Amino acid sequence: MASNSRQGTGLTGRPKGSPPPRRMTIPFAQQKPKLPPPENPALKQAVYPIYLLQWENLKAFLEKRFPGYTFQERRVNEDHYIFEIPEDLTQEDKKAISDARDKDPRMLRQPSQSPE
């Protein structure tokens, strides 16, 4: 049999069966500096139906409910407002939004008039 000078080496160039070289490890606490906790909690996406609700009314409610946050109008399929808030809306919040919508004179439904 012919002798091969590379006999006994794997693809990595070290002898077969030998352990991999030791890594230089750094304790976890030293790997990255600790970041301060975020000033604002993570925001959650919320959806609310547009039906007879002006964005200005919803935005005013959200700004009063979550002071210090700003809200941008976004819509999905023209049926719902989408916005981000720090915590979910409660049933009381949803009722307050609904009450504000019902009191808006611009949204009062006009009785339909039949031509007959």
Side-chain angles (χ1 to χ4, degrees), residues 54-85:
Q54 295 290 315
W55 170 249
E56 295 81 21
N57 292 346
L58 178 58
K59 182 179 178 185
F61 173 83
L62 295 172
E63 288 173 343
K64 182 178 177 184
R65 173 72 169 82
F66 304 109
Y69 289 89
T70 57
F71 301 94
Q72 301 297 320
E73 178 180 7
R74 289 179 36 211
R75 295 182 184 202
V76 174
N77 297 332
E78 300 298 320
D79 293 327
H80 291 84
Y81 292 115
I82 297 179
F83 45 93
E84 294 189 348
I85 52 178

Side-chain angles (χ1 to χ4, degrees), residues 84-98:
E84 294 189 348
I85 52 178
E87 60 187 67
D88 293 330
L89 294 173
T90 64
Q91 289 301 323
E92 292 81 19
D93 293 335
K94 292 175 183 177
K95 176 146 181 29
I97 293 169
S98 190

Side-chain angles (χ1 to χ4, degrees), residues 94-113:
K94 292 175 183 177
K95 176 146 181 29
I97 293 169
S98 190
D99 290 346
R101 176 198 65 209
D102 294 342
K103 291 177 185 174
D104 187 346
R106 295 175 293 176
M107 294 291 111
L108 292 177
R109 293 182 222 160
Q110 300 295 325
S112 61
Q113 302 265 337

Side-chain angles (χ1 to χ4, degrees), residues 26-41:
I26 300 173
F28 183 73
Q30 295 175 1
Q31 288 181 7
K32 290 184 179 178
K34 291 185 179 179
L35 299 175
E39 291 180 19
N40 297 327

